[in-house]
Amino acid sequence: MEELTKTLKGLGLESVPQEPNTYPELNPFDIYRSHITELLAEVSGVDKKIIYPTLAWTAKPENGDLQLAVPALRLKGKDLKAYAQELADKFPESPLVKKPVVTGTFVGFFFKPESLTSIVLPLIFKAGKSYGFNNSFGLKEDGSKKKMVIDFSSPNIAKPFHAGHLRSTIIGGFLSNLYEGMGWEVVRMNYLGDWGKQYGVLAIGFDYFGNEEELVKNPIGHLYDIYVKVSNIQKDEADKVKALKAEVAKDKEEGKDVSAKEAEITKIETEGIDEKARQYFKGMVDGEPKAIGIWKRFRELSIEKYKQTYARLNIHYDVYSGESQIKDESMDLGVKVMWEKKVCEDSEGAVIVDLTKHSKKLGKAVIKKKDGTSLYLTRDVGAAYERMQTYHPDKLMYVVASQQDLHLAQLFKIEELMGWKDISSISQHINFGMVLGMSTRKGTAKFLDDILRDVGEKMHEVMRGNQAKYEQVEDPEKTSDTLGISAVMVQDMKGKRINNYNFDMDRMTSFEGDTGPYLQYAHARLCSIYRKAIDADPSLEKTDFATVDLSELQEPHAVDLIRQLASWPDTFLNTFKTQEPTTVLTYLFKMSHAVSASYDHLQVVGSDKKVNVARLALYVAARQVLNNGMRILGLSPVERM
Ligand code: ARG
């Protein structure tokens, strides 16, 4: 606070303006909002508590940096237009803001550029990596951190990692970073689809088609291949039985002998894949060591492989959970409560919950099958209970495609009806639309690794297009991989989550338009400006940017960029409300455009030293903000490309 106090004294303010729950050291806009609030309270007599929250961002820059909607002051019996004018006229001379501008019943305030520059840049240098973030928002009253358990990615073993999982991974990674940036403790959880009869099918398939070496080398691909092959046999067998049964019926009518056909049916029904898988899965449920052992190995090898892929996306999990991990006791407890609270009922031997009483849309949900086995939904009830017991979270997030809107709506409603409001009230489904036409160059995409490799190769081609630059890049292989991943991620986060989008390899890998490579380029260019400035004048390397004289930064381009940089903490705060990655991305693109518009006007070499240093400070600050924003999204900013 000391330095900020000094800066503001220098501008002519006695103390740092600070309304309750504001953070002048972290957010420049807080200073201006508090300051304007104080002055408006003086001239209007309205309570500061009412004024502060009505000071809002403007849609158009010509309306000011902040705007007061006079009607929101809730003043009775006043001509609001005239009063807006009166407020503007009475508004005193201020070191931070210019004379207010009135449009209708709005009063607009413009920040004085000199004040903005001297406040914002030092603040950015001081906060550095954490500029924009604010740990206070994650604190509970007792000072401990709020905690979120976030279930995301959650693919199914031996099945394709499809676009829905990719989006869940990207969006979930972003939300985890977002909450951490707000001071929350985040438990990243991968809830694998790893339980059910299909894992019996898989184990049987491994007996037929498995190859130990392949399994270790490429578990995900190999298990998938096996699963496809064995499921086909399973399906053929089922078709065969159906056909035979029809023939038997017909033959019987015609008085023919059916014993051979009946024997064949029995053989398939007792020795076929389906029955073998059923028995195998029963072994897993009963905890037979052999059955469990094989399945566990599949699971563990798959997780090892997933970990490598997630690492490429900057994602690390705290827990690899999964449907298999949910204890019978938790599910039994859930079903017991459902009976007690009369939430469920018997339906021909199965247990179901009829939610149509509450909403037609919610339909009926099966909780236990006739043979007593649990389902996806049952396991989610048990899983939620266990998450509460283990972590005592303040929020439970499920990042799952909107195809599962019904499933999660059912889950939350059932929990509520069970009286588990402590769970349902903190649960949130973060949904998202589909990716259309996701394919690799070799065909339809099945695995995340194939997609990332493909996009990386494409980026490599694009990079080779500029041979001179290409030669400067230390590890082109790695850089193109990073750029490819950025391309995929930015394309995914660009629109609102709920929108579908087209997987468009050419578009996403382009340097033009709002793409991942564009952002990376903007970052690399800022890094290069710094390198070049140091090359030209090595004495600059020791500069303490927090203390340089910024008075030279008066050009409109500089002021515009500083204004952008000032609004990053508010943008971050707003992102916490929208929970949309596009809120961050839109900001970063706008800010990067402001940076690139500045280059021609604000050159760092060639002017006099004082000007050079001030401009360099501006670019260093811009790089910091871009870097912070990119990291929140889960991107790895590159320094050269
Ligand atoms: N494994 C599921 C699927 O691929 C997603 C699981 C989402 N999480 C949950 N708790 N249901 O469809």
Side-chain angles (χ1 to χ4, degrees):
M1 204 66 136
E2 238 173 81
E3 271 153 55
L4 184 59
T5 313
K6 220 167 93 196
T7 307
L8 291 173
K9 273 227 168 76
L11 290 166
L13 269 189
E14 268 321 297
S15 59
V16 179
Q18 184 174 19
E19 288 305 295
N21 301 316
T22 68
Y23 306 88
E25 274 180 301
L26 303 177
N27 185 350
F29 266 71
D30 277 359
I31 300 175
Y32 286 89
R33 268 189 296 258
S34 291
H35 174 67
I36 297 169
T37 299
E38 278 173 21
L39 298 187
L40 278 173
E42 274 169 34
V43 295
S44 67
V46 176
D47 193 337
K48 290 198 262 185
K49 282 200 209 63
I50 295 177
I51 298 174
Y52 189 88
T54 52
L55 282 171
W57 282 26
T58 57
K60 294 188 207 137
E62 57 270 30
N63 291 337
D65 293 300
L66 286 169
Q67 203 175 35
L68 175 81
V70 176
L73 296 179
R74 290 175 270 160
L75 299 163
K76 287 200 192 88
K78 271 207 199 294
D79 174 348
L80 295 179
K81 276 191 186 167
Y83 190 60
Q85 192 57 55
E86 187 186 328
L87 283 181
D89 292 340
K90 281 197 194 153
F91 197 82
E93 208 36 64
S94 146
L96 300 191
V97 289
K98 298 184 194 165
K99 198 89 197 123
V101 176
V102 179
T103 14
T105 57
F106 288 93
V107 186
F109 300 91
F110 290 90
F111 303 164
K112 284 189 172 163
E114 320 78 72
S115 73
L116 202 59
T117 309
S118 58
I119 291 171
V120 177
L121 293 189
L123 211 138
I124 296 174
F125 293 122
K126 189 128 183 275
K129 270 180 156 65
S130 56
Y131 176 60
F133 314 143
N134 188 341
N135 281 329
S136 321
F137 288 94
L139 295 182
K140 293 199 249 196
E141 262 163 34
D142 66 2
S144 65
K145 280 184 165 207
K146 289 186 194 163
K147 196 191 274 181
M148 162 164 89
V149 177
I150 178 166
D151 168 335
F152 69 108
S153 193
S154 306
N156 305 319
I157 289 175
K159 298 243 186 92
F161 188 105
H162 55 64
H165 299 121
L166 174 64
R167 295 209 71 186
S168 172
T169 309
I170 293 172
I171 295 168
F174 156 73
L175 289 168
S176 304
N177 299 339
L178 176 68
Y179 274 71
E180 263 170 4
M182 282 296 184
W184 284 59
E185 183 183 338
V186 175
V187 179
R188 291 167 170 82
M189 178 181 278
N190 200 324
Y191 181 70
L192 298 168
D194 58 358
W195 201 240
K197 201 176 85 182
Q198 66 268 34
Y199 297 99
V201 176
L202 185 65
I204 305 297
F206 194 74
D207 268 351
Y208 286 107
F209 310 111
N211 173 321
E212 196 42 49
E213 224 176 284
E214 263 299 295
L215 178 68
V216 174
K217 215 170 73 199
N218 175 18
I220 294 175
H222 187 50
L223 290 176
Y224 173 72
D225 287 341
I226 292 173
Y227 189 70
V228 171
K229 280 189 196 152
V230 69
S231 316
N232 282 336
I233 300 180
Q234 186 187 19
K235 191 171 165 295
D236 289 347
E237 287 178 347
D239 290 346
K240 181 96 208 219
V241 167
K242 215 169 134 197
L244 283 168
K245 281 187 175 165
E247 284 174 31
V248 166
K250 201 161 152 256
D251 288 358
K252 269 188 182 164
E253 261 173 39
E254 294 168 10
K256 288 187 191 158
D257 176 22
V258 294
S259 54
K261 283 177 182 166
E262 274 182 340
E264 209 178 331
I265 293 176
T266 312
K267 190 164 155 59
I268 296 178
E269 283 183 340
T270 52
E271 293 168 31
I273 300 276
D274 200 66
E275 175 56 20
K276 276 193 187 153
R278 198 192 60 76
Q279 285 172 14
Y280 193 95
F281 182 58
K282 184 164 185 309
M284 283 166 63
V285 171
D286 297 343
E288 266 174 32
K290 186 163 168 272
I292 286 281
I294 295 175
W295 161 84
K296 219 175 166 171
R297 232 176 127 236
F298 291 168
R299 182 177 192 271
E300 276 162 12
L301 287 168
S302 301
I303 290 177
E304 275 325 301
K305 184 73 196 156
Y306 278 132
K307 279 187 183 164
Q308 295 166 15
T309 308
Y310 289 131
R312 295 173 72 184
L313 298 168
N314 283 331
I315 286 166
H316 301 275
Y317 282 93
D318 298 295
V319 215
Y320 278 85
S321 175
E323 292 177 45
S324 68
Q325 305 298 300
I326 307 310
K327 296 192 193 80
D328 285 336
E329 298 92 90
S330 312
M331 289 185 278
D332 292 345
L333 174 75
V335 178
K336 192 173 137 239
V337 174
M338 286 184 220
W339 281 114
E340 280 169 10
K341 299 275 162 116
K342 302 196 169 39
V343 177
C344 61
E345 58 200 76
D346 180 278
S347 167
E348 295 169 31
V351 182
I352 66 153
V353 178
D354 183 359
L355 293 166
T356 55
K357 292 177 245 176
H358 307 279
S359 149
K360 272 239 151 41
K361 276 197 305 221
L362 289 176
K364 292 180 184 174
V366 183
I367 291 297
K368 287 235 156 186
K369 287 205 255 182
K370 249 184 240 166
D371 61 5
T373 48
S374 66
L375 290 112
Y376 181 46
L377 183 59
T378 332
R379 292 193 276 275
D380 256 329
V381 172
Y385 173 79
E386 290 183 9
R387 287 173 202 182
M388 292 301 282
Q389 296 295 310
T390 314
Y391 302 105
H392 308 286
D394 301 276
K395 192 166 191 72
L396 287 174
M397 222 181 231
Y398 299 82
V399 189
V400 190
S402 51
Q403 276 104 325
Q404 294 193 29
D405 281 355
L406 178 63
H407 170 75
L408 288 148
Q410 288 176 335
L411 173 65
F412 300 162
K413 187 71 192 177
I414 290 171
E415 287 164 352
E416 184 196 314
L417 295 172
M418 287 166 76
W420 286 6
K421 292 220 172 69
D422 54 334
I423 303 185
S424 62
S425 65
I426 63 165
S427 297
Q428 188 184 5
H429 177 202
I430 295 284
N431 59 359
F432 48 83
M434 292 189 299
V435 187
L436 309 170
M438 186 161 92
S439 59
T440 62
R441 289 194 251 185
K442 292 194 188 89
T444 328
K446 293 195 183 71
F447 304 109
L448 183 53
D449 266 336
D450 299 336
I451 309 243
L452 298 183
R453 188 209 49 226
D454 233 43
V455 183
E457 280 171 8
K458 170 94 201 211
M459 266 336 293
H460 207 156
E461 271 169 35
V462 177
M463 281 168 68
R464 278 205 193 93
N466 187 334
Q467 202 56 35
K469 265 198 192 155
Y470 182 76
E471 277 159 15
Q472 299 260 307
V473 180
E474 219 168 279
D475 186 347
E477 207 56 64
K478 185 157 181 270
T479 305
S480 58
D481 190 59
T482 306
L483 293 181
I485 288 167
S486 304
V488 172
M489 291 176 71
V490 167
Q491 164 157 283
D492 193 273
M493 295 192 276
K494 217 165 84 175
K496 281 221 174 114
R497 290 188 333 250
I498 200 66
N499 295 344
N500 300 341
Y501 71 85
N502 278 310
F503 194 84
D504 185 339
M505 182 92 88
D506 290 328
R507 181 109 143 256
M508 77 170 98
T509 52
S510 163
F511 285 102
E512 267 140 55
D514 292 345
T515 65
Y518 174 83
L519 273 192
Q520 289 284 14
Y521 174 75
H523 186 265
R525 177 141 190 212
L526 283 166
C527 293
S528 135
I529 287 199
Y530 179 78
R531 283 192 303 266
K532 283 192 184 133
I534 302 295
D535 279 350
D537 178 359
S539 75
L540 283 177
E541 191 157 17
K542 289 183 286 308
T543 318
D544 176 7
F545 288 106
T547 57
V548 302
D549 178 357
L550 301 164
S551 56
E552 301 289 336
L553 290 176
Q554 290 177 12
E555 298 84 349
H557 282 94
V559 175
D560 183 44
L561 180 53
I562 293 166
R563 201 170 258 132
Q564 299 278 346
L565 301 181
S567 65
W568 166 237
D570 258 18
T571 303
F572 191 71
L573 216 60
N574 189 33
T575 309
F576 196 65
K577 288 189 198 120
T578 63
Q579 315 214 61
E580 292 277 3
T582 184
T583 312
V584 172
L585 266 176
T586 306
Y587 168 82
L588 292 182
F589 284 124
K590 205 168 155 210
M591 194 269 268
S592 311
H593 293 318
V595 173
S596 63
S598 304
Y599 289 134
D600 283 345
H601 304 273
L602 310 172
Q603 294 191 353
V604 173
V605 280
S607 312
D608 80 70
K609 178 148 183 169
K610 211 170 135 202
V611 175
N612 283 348
V613 174
R615 289 179 178 175
L616 188 59
L618 178 59
Y619 289 128
V620 171
R623 180 188 64 187
Q624 184 72 65
V625 175
L626 182 55
N627 190 293
N628 292 3
M630 288 173 78
R631 277 186 296 109
I632 279 291
L633 294 169
L635 305 172
S636 313
V638 300
E639 300 195 354
R640 274 179 213 270
M641 60 188 266

